[in-house]
Amino acid sequence: MTSSAVGSGTGAGRAFIGSFTSAGGRGVTVAAVDRETGALTVLGATDTVPDPSYLVLGHGPGPGGRVLYTVSETEHGAAAALDITGDVPQPIGEIRPVEGSGPTHLALAGGHLLTANYGSGSVSALSVRADGSLGDATSVLRHEGSGPNPGRQQAPHAHQVLPDPSGNWVLSVDLGTDSVRICALDPANGVLRTHGETALRPGTGPRHLAFHPAGGHAYVLNELEPTVTACRWDATTGVLEPVGETSVLPEEPTGGTAPVTYPSEVVVSHDGRFLWTANRGHDSISVLALDATGEQATLITTVGCGGHWPRDLALDPTGRWLYAANERSGNVSWFAVDPATGVPHHAGALEAPAASCVIFA
């Protein structure tokens, strides 16, 4: 395994790009972010963790300390903690097994790191130590069920796990069972238990969800059908209720041959007026307007993603720039967001082989 430094960072405005090392990716790449132009400049990279496909930032020891956590999306799934003080991330402690296969997503909650394990259809909790390093798995919650798509839904496939805005619940999105599970995490012992399960339309294959900034609604992006399901969220009772479904792609003209499309990520604007999705196959970013209630999404338009196979979509902290991690074209493209219309306009791209996600400090 190797590490490399390309430049020196200022510490202000940094992005972290995950990738598939098994497909030629650099591993975890650190880039400087120009807040005025949206441009990314590579500072360094490390491939010490195999296939670090998804990343999340946490707090480390000391004033201003930050730790980057990553899954290792392999058959024998694992997770790792990285020190990002410098431009080349350095391991903190050992890479830890998650006791699940193919972890695709991770999140921090209740002093633990949670992973969604696609291959084994489970969610794992790992303890986080005082120095930011990871301990052993404290709990593995296995999903049960299936869906009508014989090629993709013969078994559970947990694709995302994240805490709700209140911090009281953990939600896991399962593509294989067409459902979202609401769980409770005991911060004292790291044990996960199922509180409830929300069924979505069979065969839609839910992949990821994003919350409205007001906290009362969530939007589930479906992978097997290019739609987004709007849901009410009650943080008091831990109940997720579907209220509507909207296509994220325009209707094809009669006789048209639209490419098979697998939406990958959903992002909501900081002001709650717009919602964007990344669409693999269609190779586009969809722009949807949200009404004042947060329950009605209307497709405005789609724009090219600036590459091929956008696996991830991320909004920078200012809300001015939207970034797409285009896995098969090997680049991260950025777009200036029109604050009035929500429409993103392509502004540039950075080479990033087998890019799978991008997050911001």
Side-chain angles (χ1 to χ4, degrees):
M1 297 296 185
T2 59
S3 300
S4 60
V6 177
S8 59
T10 63
R14 291 205 296 173
F16 302 91
I17 302 166
S19 66
F20 289 99
T21 56
S22 59
R26 300 185 183 112
V28 177
T29 297
V30 183
V33 183
D34 187 324
R35 298 297 190 198
E36 294 304 312
T37 66
L40 302 177
T41 303
V42 173
L43 300 174
T46 179
D47 62 359
T48 54
V49 179
D51 288 343
S53 63
Y54 209 86
L55 314 170
V56 68
L57 275 169
H59 293 286
R66 302 301 297 272
V67 177
L68 185 70
Y69 295 96
T70 175
V71 296
S72 178
E73 191 176 335
T74 56
E75 181 179 357
H76 303 291
L82 300 171
D83 182 340
I84 53 170
T85 304
D87 294 336
V88 177
Q90 301 294 331
I92 304 174
E94 300 177 2
I95 298 177
R96 293 287 181 175
V98 300
E99 310 297 341
S101 174
T104 61
H105 191 267
L106 77 172
L108 290 161
H112 291 77
L113 183 74
L114 309 176
T115 66
N117 311 315
Y118 182 88
S120 54
S122 61
V123 173
S124 301
L126 287 77
S127 60
V128 176
R129 296 169 172 166
D131 65 354
S133 65
L134 295 173
D136 293 331
T138 56
S139 178
V140 179
L141 184 64
R142 302 192 183 281
H143 293 181
E144 296 182 357
S146 60
N149 186 312
R152 299 290 306 277
Q153 296 185 311
Q154 290 183 334
H157 292 298
H159 217 306
Q160 184 195 36
V161 60
L162 75 167
D164 84 307
S166 75
N168 294 327
W169 306 100
V170 170
L171 284 74
S172 58
V173 184
D174 196 301
L175 184 149
T177 63
D178 290 317
S179 63
V180 178
R181 285 168 177 78
I182 296 91
C183 306
L185 172 69
D186 187 333
N189 56 22
V191 172
L192 284 161
R193 62 172 180 84
T194 302
H195 168 75
E197 183 176 1
T198 297
L200 301 178
R201 186 164 60 83
T204 52
R207 178 184 173 96
H208 277 198
L209 71 76
F211 283 98
H212 190 281
H217 292 85
Y219 309 93
V220 183
L221 183 64
N222 302 305
E223 178 174 331
L224 301 185
E225 291 192 16
T227 60
V228 64
T229 304
C231 303
R232 295 187 189 124
W233 170 244
D234 188 329
T236 302
T237 59
V239 173
L240 186 72
E241 177 190 2
V243 293
E245 190 177 320
T246 305
S247 175
V248 300
L249 296 182
E251 290 187 16
E252 281 294 310
T254 303
T257 55
V260 178
T261 297
Y262 303 98
S264 60
E265 184 60 289
V266 55
V267 174
V268 181
S269 64
H270 296 334
D271 60 9
R273 295 173 56 220
F274 302 106
L275 179 153
W276 301 279
T277 72
N279 311 308
R280 296 169 298 175
H282 197 260
D283 286 345
S284 65
I285 298 171
S286 297
V287 186
L288 293 90
L290 297 173
D291 72 354
T293 69
E295 295 187 1
Q296 181 64 47
T298 303
L299 179 65
I300 299 173
T301 189
T302 61
V303 301
C305 68
H308 179 34
W309 212 252
R311 187 178 178 90
D312 189 41
L313 199 61
L315 194 63
D316 89 314
T318 70
R320 296 173 53 197
W321 303 98
L322 192 66
Y323 294 75
N326 299 307
E327 181 183 354
R328 295 185 180 175
S329 56
N331 68 308
V332 173
S333 51
W334 56 89
F335 302 79
V337 176
D338 186 318
T341 66
V343 175
H345 300 276
H346 188 264
L350 172 73
E351 179 188 4
S356 56
C357 85
V358 56
I359 64 171
F360 296 91

